[in-house]
Amino acid sequence: MAPPLLVLLLCCLLSDSPTLAPPSPDSGAVRSVTAYFRTNNTAARRGPDAQRTFLRRTQHPEYRDQRCSLDGMTVTAEPALGTLRPDEEFTVAGRHPAGRVWVVGVEITVRREGVVVGRQLGSQHLVALDGRWYGFAPCPG
């Protein structure tokens, strides 16, 4: 798989997210972010339709109209929880999204029909808003 496609898929994954549980600077944030990734990965193991449903449901409310197709692929993400930290400087198109933004390092694995077609290391931004975790990174054109 070409690296630009992995970037696109990473952006798609980032464009999704909540999981119940308000953030806090202590272990509460780690527990709830862990639950978010566990839910994403469970959806991915169930297949493209289940993951698409998860991504739609967890898209940051301000970016719900900005989604992309995974084209039958699934994306799992393993967070490096020791890297989880607030990121007050993060913006999307020059605008700070509503909620508290956090960033965490992740290893992304992309599969098509269960076969690994790519892996990539990167970071993922999540937003804690109204007691839920949301992901968001609008897919590029």
Side-chain angles (χ1 to χ4, degrees):
M1 171 181 291
L5 184 54
L6 283 176
V7 171
L8 174 64
L9 292 173
L10 177 60
C11 288
C12 290
L13 177 62
L14 296 177
S15 68
D16 61 291
S17 148
T19 295
L20 294 179
S24 70
D26 61 16
S27 63
V30 171
R31 279 192 305 274
S32 56
V33 166
T34 299
Y36 165 80
F37 284 106
R38 186 179 318 116
T39 304
N40 173 74
N41 294 346
T42 297
R45 283 191 295 278
R46 290 183 179 149
D49 291 338
Q51 187 161 49
R52 185 173 29 260
T53 297
F54 171 79
L55 295 176
R56 280 188 191 132
R57 186 188 63 195
T58 62
Q59 176 81 356
H60 188 284
E62 293 174 352
Y63 303 94
R64 289 241 161 95
D65 62 336
Q66 299 176 17
R67 287 180 270 175
C68 67
S69 169
L70 293 177
D71 194 29
M73 290 181 263
T74 58
V75 181
T76 56
E78 295 301 327
L81 295 170
T83 67
L84 180 65
R85 69 186 188 287
D87 186 355
E88 303 300 327
E89 303 297 316
F90 182 77
T91 62
V92 176
R95 203 169 48 102
H96 190 279
R100 183 154 187 217
V101 179
W102 295 71
V103 63
V104 64
V106 293
E107 177 184 12
I108 302 295
T109 302
V110 180
R111 291 178 175 84
R112 181 183 293 280
E113 297 178 6
V115 176
V116 174
V117 295
R119 289 185 197 271
Q120 184 169 332
L121 298 176
S123 61
Q124 181 167 343
H125 284 87
L126 299 174
V127 175
L129 177 65
D130 298 330
R132 292 181 170 258
W133 286 97
Y134 294 92
F136 59 111
C139 295

